[in-house]
Amino acid sequence: MLFRSKIGTPYDFNFQWVYPDGTVGSWSPNFTVTTEGYVTKLTKPTITIEAAALGYIVSYTKQTDPNFGYIIVEEVVSNALTAPASGWIEVAVSSSNPVIITVGNTNRRWVRARLIDKISGNTTYSDAVAITPIDPVAAALVFLIEAACKYAEL
């Protein structure tokens, strides 16, 4: 993982010989090595979000490339009509599909994701999707009201 975020970057180095008798040679001239550029074969994910009680479930397009590593899910809490440009925070890193995200409130949020392969290549972000987690108390009340109405019809 030495070159995790340094792909395509030149590196300068020198070396020094140490002989079997313990004597040390002088430093070599400077050498420059550039790591090879790399583009992942993973495709931009398409995400589907389903609201859950105090959370949401993120499903994404199945990847057929054997180098698939994991998904990174990010969110930003916002009532904006379009996805914000900043304020995104990482909320999950997982190799599971779907990914269950638990939050502590029912605030509306925007969610996006990107995929990472086994050598740290990454896709572009998915299109952002807005979601409002379900209030478990309200959901329970609706269930009870519906059950009471069905019972009253009997």
Side-chain angles (χ1 to χ4, degrees):
M1 294 286 189
L2 174 64
F3 300 118
R4 180 178 178 146
S5 61
K6 304 289 186 178
I7 293 174
T9 303
Y11 289 90
D12 294 327
F13 68 95
N14 302 71
F15 63 90
Q16 193 174 30
W17 291 105
V18 177
Y19 297 97
D21 65 2
T23 59
V24 178
S26 58
W27 284 99
S28 70
N30 188 53
F31 290 94
T32 301
V33 174
T34 302
T35 58
E36 184 65 35
Y38 172 75
V39 176
T40 184
K41 292 180 181 171
L42 300 177
T43 58
K44 173 184 171 181
T46 299
I47 61 173
T48 304
I49 311 289
E50 178 184 343
L54 289 181
Y56 53 92
I57 301 167
V58 180
S59 300
Y60 56 96
T61 48
K62 181 180 179 183
Q63 298 295 307
T64 57
D65 189 306
N67 286 321
F68 169 72
Y70 52 92
I71 185 171
I72 296 177
V73 180
E74 297 179 354
E75 73 173 22
V76 60
V77 176
S78 172
N79 285 321
L81 297 177
T82 59
S86 62
W88 294 91
I89 58 167
E90 187 176 289
V91 293
V93 176
S94 177
S95 59
S96 298
N97 189 4
V99 180
I100 299 170
I101 311 293
T102 303
V103 298
N105 57 53
T106 58
N107 296 337
R108 184 173 190 254
R109 56 203 72 227
W110 286 87
V111 179
R112 69 181 184 184
R114 66 181 173 160
L115 305 178
I116 310 297
D117 66 21
K118 291 179 182 173
I119 60 171
S120 300
N122 57 285
T123 64
T124 57
Y125 283 104
S126 67
D127 294 333
V129 177
I131 189 75
T132 301
I134 297 170
D135 180 341
V137 174
L141 288 175
V142 168
F143 174 78
L144 289 174
I145 291 169
E146 288 174 353
C149 289
K150 286 182 183 178
Y151 180 75
E153 291 174 1
L154 297 176

